[in-house]
Amino acid sequence: MTQLLEHIKEAVLQISKELKFPDTSYLSGQNKTGDTQLKLDVKSDQIITEILSKCPSLKALISEEKEEALELNANAKFIVAYDPLDGSSLVDVNFAVGSIFAIYEQKASAKALKAAVYSIYGPRLELVICEDLPRLYRLNSQNEFEFIKELRLENKGKLNSTGGTQKNWSKEHKAFIQSLFDEGYRLRYSGAMVSDLHQILCKGGGLFSYPATSDAPRGKLRAFFEVFPFAYIFEKAGGKSSNGENLSLLELEFDEIHATTPCFFGSNYEISKLLKADQ
Ligand code: AHG
Ligand code: MN
Ligand code: MN
């Protein structure tokens, strides 16, 4: 694991350098879930593939930007599923974006998650590594990731980060989101889940939701490299996750590597309220 985390750090540093000189011209290709790929998505994917392929403990790589899994060392222990650049449509407006990594043992399944990692390319380069607990690291002037603190969620937060086109929400979801605003929650939503979820973790609580919508009944966010790693991090931080029906996103199973699911991540209060509400 230590060796794999060192490879991830190296990849993140390299992506951060690429982002400092962005080229946002579009490629004609589309990825599996239909998004137009930016060159930076592809570059970030190439960087991660090149660096992580050198890690002997890696059995396979699953990427948002690759249709199929890339098989590496058949007898190795870990499978890494990753979103090389999350929030890539925000690069041109210079918002914070990130990379997300889920580390599975032997099998890509939520129950086989051993660690989750994400980076934030913002004014500072930050990295959150979660095995038993999410730990925040920040790049210092010596080019090393310095430990800052453990991230823990309070029982209840103040932020409401609401994804999906509102006109396509169910009336139950609309009523639930409104009930949080009526309690005093504030809207915070950038369009990069990595930044929106990082804000909730750093501020101690709140809710991030990306529900089933009439145009995307199975949600938008991808299970293996977006939803499971953040569900793992939120639960280890003392919060909860849900797909709106089950108790935890980590109970879900999918066969398709690009499968999507409605998802909710939050502190205890908001997720308990969600499970009591009509959805
Ligand atoms: P990506 O850039 O990897 O395609 O991911 C974008 C995702 C997620 O980060 C974000 O929360 C969501 O898409 C935003 O979607 P909407 O614009 O529909 O809110
Ligand atoms: Mn993403
Ligand atoms: Mn992406």
Side-chain angles (χ1 to χ4, degrees), residues 31 35 41 64-65 83-89 100 162-165 189-194 196 208 210 220-222 226:
N31 70 9
D35 299 338
D41 287 307
E64 181 192 341
E65 305 300 337
D83 179 349
L85 200 59
D86 177 71
S88 52
S89 69
I100 309 167
T162 66
T165 311
Y189 191 77
S190 73
M193 71 183 298
V194 83
D196 294 325
F208 176 95
Y210 208 106
K220 173 183 181 187
L221 299 177
R222 299 80 159 185
E226 291 181 320

Side-chain angles (χ1 to χ4, degrees), residues 8 37-38 61 93 124 129 155 163 185 201 203 212 228 268-269:
I8 290 178
Q37 287 183 341
L38 300 181
L61 285 175
V93 293
R124 302 183 287 243
I129 300 177
N155 185 51
Y185 280 75
L201 280 164
K203 303 285 187 195
F228 289 160
N268 283 318
Y269 174 81

Side-chain angles (χ1 to χ4, degrees), residues 118-231:
Y118 66 86
S119 57
I120 299 268
Y121 312 108
R124 302 183 287 243
L125 176 55
E126 294 191 336
L127 192 67
V128 171
I129 300 177
C130 180
E131 291 180 82
D132 54 336
L133 272 177
R135 292 183 170 82
L136 172 66
Y137 297 83
R138 188 173 291 155
L139 195 73
N140 65 18
S141 54
Q142 284 85 54
N143 222 32
E144 291 159 350
F145 284 103
E146 193 175 308
F147 174 69
I148 305 295
K149 61 177 177 182
E150 287 171 0
L151 299 178
R152 288 177 199 271
L153 289 162
E154 308 287 336
N155 185 51
K156 185 178 188 301
K158 294 179 181 150
L159 307 180
N160 196 3
S161 193
T162 66
T165 311
Q166 295 193 20
K167 81 174 173 65
N168 298 328
W169 288 357
S170 69
K171 68 175 192 322
E172 291 81 8
H173 183 69
K174 212 172 237 174
F176 172 66
I177 292 298
Q178 187 57 48
S179 75
L180 289 176
F181 286 131
D182 292 345
E183 274 188 49
Y185 280 75
R186 290 191 220 150
L187 174 64
R188 291 289 184 269
Y189 191 77
S190 73
M193 71 183 298
V194 83
S195 303
D196 294 325
L197 287 161
H198 186 58
Q199 181 169 192
I200 290 172
L201 280 164
C202 292
K203 303 285 187 195
L207 181 77
F208 176 95
S209 48
Y210 208 106
T213 54
S214 56
D215 57 333
R218 291 183 183 167
K220 173 183 181 187
L221 299 177
R222 299 80 159 185
F224 289 104
F225 36 81
E226 291 181 320
V227 174
F228 289 160
F230 272 109

Side-chain angles (χ1 to χ4, degrees), residues 62-80:
I62 294 172
S63 165
E64 181 192 341
E65 305 300 337
K66 294 189 206 310
E67 284 203 22
E68 307 289 339
L70 175 69
E71 307 294 338
L72 295 168
N73 309 296
N75 299 321
K77 193 168 174 186
F78 298 117
I79 297 171
V80 172

